[in-house]
Amino acid sequence: KQWYQRRVRGMINVLHGLGLRLLSLGVTSPFLHIGLAHNYDKVADVHPVLAKIGNSMKRFNLPRVVAPLTFCFTGSGNVSQGARSVFEHLPHEYIDPLDMQ
């Protein structure tokens, strides 16, 4: 169970960092609403924040300068599973890598 928490927390930090990076480029995004993983006592505490981000993405879309965002998950190990469990809370579409241009 603890491996799962570490992997999930890694993806939370990735999304936080993405929000900061986009802001440094002058782009505001819903990812600014997520804090660093150490701000959440339990993984479940971040679920409402992810829901808020997801709803914002559905209602307002992402700015054209960054949309569409592409995330690539390789493998099916613990890290990938933990990251995907966070990602599942956000609006997304899975595509076959061969369909990417």
Side-chain angles (χ1 to χ4, degrees):
K1 181 99 180 182
Q2 200 166 44
W3 67 262
Y4 175 78
Q5 295 243 349
R6 286 193 300 265
R7 276 35 175 219
V8 168
R9 290 179 184 276
M11 186 62 176
I12 292 167
N13 287 340
V14 165
L15 294 176
H16 173 81
L18 176 61
L20 293 178
R21 175 64 178 145
L22 293 174
L23 184 61
S24 75
L25 297 172
V27 178
T28 59
S29 74
F31 300 111
L32 289 172
H33 297 288
I34 193 166
L36 287 169
H38 73 267
N39 291 313
Y40 306 101
D41 290 331
K42 299 176 290 202
V43 168
D45 293 343
V46 78
H47 291 170
V49 178
L50 293 170
K52 181 179 179 180
I53 291 169
N55 289 335
S56 179
M57 289 172 73
K58 287 178 189 173
R59 287 181 61 207
F60 304 111
N61 294 321
L62 289 174
R64 287 181 188 219
V65 69
V66 296
L69 282 174
T70 303
F71 289 84
C72 180
F73 298 99
T74 59
S76 58
N78 293 342
V79 173
S80 182
Q81 289 175 29
R84 288 178 200 208
S85 72
V86 172
F87 195 74
E88 290 296 324
H89 291 275
L90 303 174
H92 63 277
E93 174 184 350
Y94 285 105
I95 59 171
D96 189 291
L98 298 175
D99 294 335
M100 295 182 67
Q101 297 177 351

